Amino acid sequence: TLKHIFKGNKKLFKGLRIYHSDYDWQEYPVLHFDFSQILTRSSENLEDSLKRSLAKIAKDQGVFVDIPSSQEGMVNVIKALSKKNRVVVLVDEYDKPIINNLDVLDVAEENRALMRDFFAALKSLDPYLKFTFFTGVSKFSQVSIFSGLNNLKDITMNAKYAAMMGYTEEE
């Protein structure tokens, strides 16, 4: 839902409240990471998979950048895409690389460290970002991968956001 809102696909929301709102429907470049689709059985798998994901995002959006590491790749892709407009970063199941490896704690710890570095890159990119959104089953504070990001707001249990995606019981 968020991806299509930020891509400016207004026609998809006909009949919903956002369609008739004052939202500007600009098109923003979107980086979407679905960690349920990223290899996580080792930190090497995770790093390689993140680099491939970044390369695919860059290619699909018509930018060509170096991706020597996942963290540097994130910086390079976002800066390149920001020449079009401020960038949106959507992350589904951010905690999967850790949770999937709780049976092998060394791998879980290595993945957590890699994820912390990967997401820490976002803090310095704030001027280039329009919006960031993370989903997962763990509380931010429990996985400690967002220590570099001190501007996150946990809206999990906030009633104000209960129908955020435009899907109320009535709709």
Side-chain angles (χ1 to χ4, degrees):
T1 300
L2 287 173
K3 182 177 182 178
H4 287 288
I5 289 170
F6 285 111
K7 285 289 195 182
N9 292 328
K10 184 176 181 177
K11 65 183 181 286
L12 296 176
F13 298 91
K14 193 169 186 163
L16 300 176
R17 187 181 313 172
I18 193 170
Y19 186 86
H20 303 288
S21 74
D22 61 353
Y23 181 69
D24 65 6
W25 295 102
Q26 283 188 52
E27 184 173 353
Y28 297 92
V30 176
L31 274 73
H32 178 218
F33 298 96
D34 181 352
F35 279 89
S36 69
Q37 304 298 313
I38 291 178
L39 297 174
T40 64
R41 292 312 279 168
S42 72
S43 59
E44 292 82 13
N45 281 161
L46 178 56
E47 173 70 8
D48 290 344
S49 196
L50 286 170
K51 288 179 0 184
R52 282 191 303 274
S53 294
L54 286 163
K56 182 176 181 347
I57 289 167
K59 181 181 176 195
D60 290 350
Q61 299 211 28
V63 296
F64 301 94
V65 296
D66 287 331
I67 304 176
S69 70
S70 60
Q71 186 175 15
E72 291 171 291
M74 172 87 88
V75 171
N76 294 343
V77 169
I78 288 175
K79 284 184 176 181
L81 289 175
S82 72
K83 292 175 181 159
K84 298 177 182 183
N85 205 344
R86 290 178 67 202
V87 178
V88 172
V89 179
L90 305 175
V91 180
D92 287 326
E93 300 192 45
Y94 72 86
D95 48 359
K96 193 108 171 157
I98 300 164
I99 293 172
N100 275 6
N101 292 292
L102 290 177
D103 57 332
V104 186
L105 290 180
D106 289 347
V107 172
E109 284 294 324
E110 289 173 7
N111 283 354
R112 182 173 61 169
L114 195 153
M115 299 291 291
R116 185 175 47 245
D117 292 344
F118 182 66
F119 291 128
L122 292 174
K123 183 173 183 176
S124 67
L125 295 169
D126 202 46
Y128 303 97
L129 298 173
K130 168 73 175 167
F131 183 80
T132 56
F133 192 80
F134 294 86
T135 67
V137 297
S138 303
K139 295 283 282 176
F140 291 162
S141 59
Q142 291 174 330
V143 292
S144 68
I145 61 175
F146 297 111
S147 57
L149 293 173
N150 56 6
N151 55 349
L152 295 177
K153 182 176 181 180
D154 185 353
I155 62 171
T156 304
M157 301 303 288
N158 189 325
K160 178 180 173 183
Y161 299 101
M164 185 174 129
M165 295 300 121
Y167 298 109
T168 62
E169 187 173 336
E170 178 184 300
E171 290 173 327

